[in-house]
Amino acid sequence: MAESTPANWRSADEYLIDSLVGHDAALESAVAAQRAAGLPAIEVAPVAGKLLHLLARIAGARRVLEIGTLGGYSTIWLARALDENGRVITIEAEARNAEVARANIDAAGVGERVEILVGRAVEVLPTLEGTEPFDLVFIDADKESNTIYLDWAARLGRPGTVVVLDNIGREGEIVDPHTTDPRVAGTRAALEMLGADARFDATALQTVGLKGWDGFALAVVTGASAP
Ligand code: DHB
Ligand code: MG
């Protein structure tokens, strides 16, 4: 029986990637380009990218909203779940990241399905009001603003919209109510909101693997009105 250590979580994740996800030239080039450009190595793990892709397919998604593009790795996974009429609208605060993402997304052959909106999400999200509702929302940006992003996910969604919120585990720091880390505080506030706000029905899963000990929350927009 193997020990539960970060090195073993990594080996098991590599086994799952080899068995189930495979090695895709466009996705691996996207990660390499992102590393070469000096972007932080915080994109979703391959198994999580595939999960986002499967959730979008299971939901029959046509319109996907992503908050936090980084280098476009998760964006490519999501875009590949859509047909040619589908759209991923992805919001990125850093112009440099958006440039890297644009090149990666175009190189992966899904450029026509992806619109990158450059700006702070708190400013960009209100401009999406009145557009067709999103079928899936993936939140993976500055953790301090997580509750604002959840509120927008409900407002820009419809009953049945799938919401995924990344990084709910944060190496176990999430249990500390006295945390001084604003990212942990922002994620705790988001989890409390998912539990208390009738607009969502949610759970969360902890994960171990290439990215250490973390996790994601999964919610559905219920159609109840805002508190
Ligand atoms: C961080 C952000 C992420 O979205 C992630 O998946 C991992 C780490 C961070 O800011 O530390
Ligand atoms: Mg993340």
Side-chain angles (χ1 to χ4, degrees):
M1 181 73 185
E3 273 180 276
S4 181
T5 61
N8 285 342
W9 304 343
R10 171 177 284 271
S11 303
D13 220 8
E14 281 162 359
Y15 166 73
L16 295 173
I17 293 163
D18 291 343
S19 315
L20 299 171
V21 180
H23 293 272
D24 179 282
L27 287 165
E28 290 186 355
S29 305
V31 171
Q34 184 177 309
R35 299 280 187 277
L39 272 54
I42 56 172
E43 74 282 353
V44 299
V47 291
K50 180 85 181 265
L51 177 70
L52 291 169
H53 171 89
L54 291 173
L55 286 171
R57 281 173 56 190
I58 292 164
R62 285 192 314 109
R63 278 172 62 78
V64 171
L65 173 64
E66 179 179 61
I67 305 174
T69 316
L70 194 66
Y73 179 79
S74 48
T75 323
I76 295 168
W77 272 117
L78 288 164
R80 284 181 173 176
L82 310 180
D83 69 22
E84 62 277 11
N85 301 313
R87 285 291 173 277
V88 181
I89 311 290
T90 183
I91 305 174
E92 175 53 48
E94 302 287 338
R96 175 77 188 120
N97 295 356
E99 267 176 46
V100 172
R102 183 80 260 169
N104 283 337
I105 291 161
D106 290 348
V110 290
E112 288 184 359
R113 265 174 259 169
V114 178
E115 191 177 343
I116 306 178
L117 302 178
V118 182
R120 283 171 39 81
V122 289
E123 281 152 27
V124 174
L125 286 162
T127 70
L128 297 173
E129 220 161 10
T131 60
E132 241 190 291
F134 290 96
D135 306 305
L136 184 148
V137 181
F138 177 47
I139 301 171
D140 192 17
D142 57 306
K143 313 309 172 195
E144 295 85 337
S145 307
N146 270 338
T147 55
I148 297 169
Y149 300 153
L150 282 174
D151 182 61
W152 278 108
R155 290 164 69 158
L156 298 173
R158 50 155 175 85
T161 293
V162 177
V163 180
V164 183
L165 176 76
D166 198 25
N167 309 115
I168 58 85
R170 302 208 73 96
E171 308 288 344
E173 289 172 283
I174 206 70
V175 298
D176 179 7
H178 308 296
T179 182
T180 54
D181 183 336
R183 293 170 302 178
V184 175
T187 297
R188 284 178 60 91
L191 291 168
E192 282 154 33
M193 180 172 173
L194 285 173
D197 185 327
R199 290 178 296 170
F200 302 100
D201 204 3
T203 188
L205 290 179
Q206 298 186 71
T207 56
V208 294
L210 292 179
K211 290 185 71 179
W213 176 16
D214 205 344
F216 61 90
L218 178 66
V220 68
V221 173
T222 60
S225 38

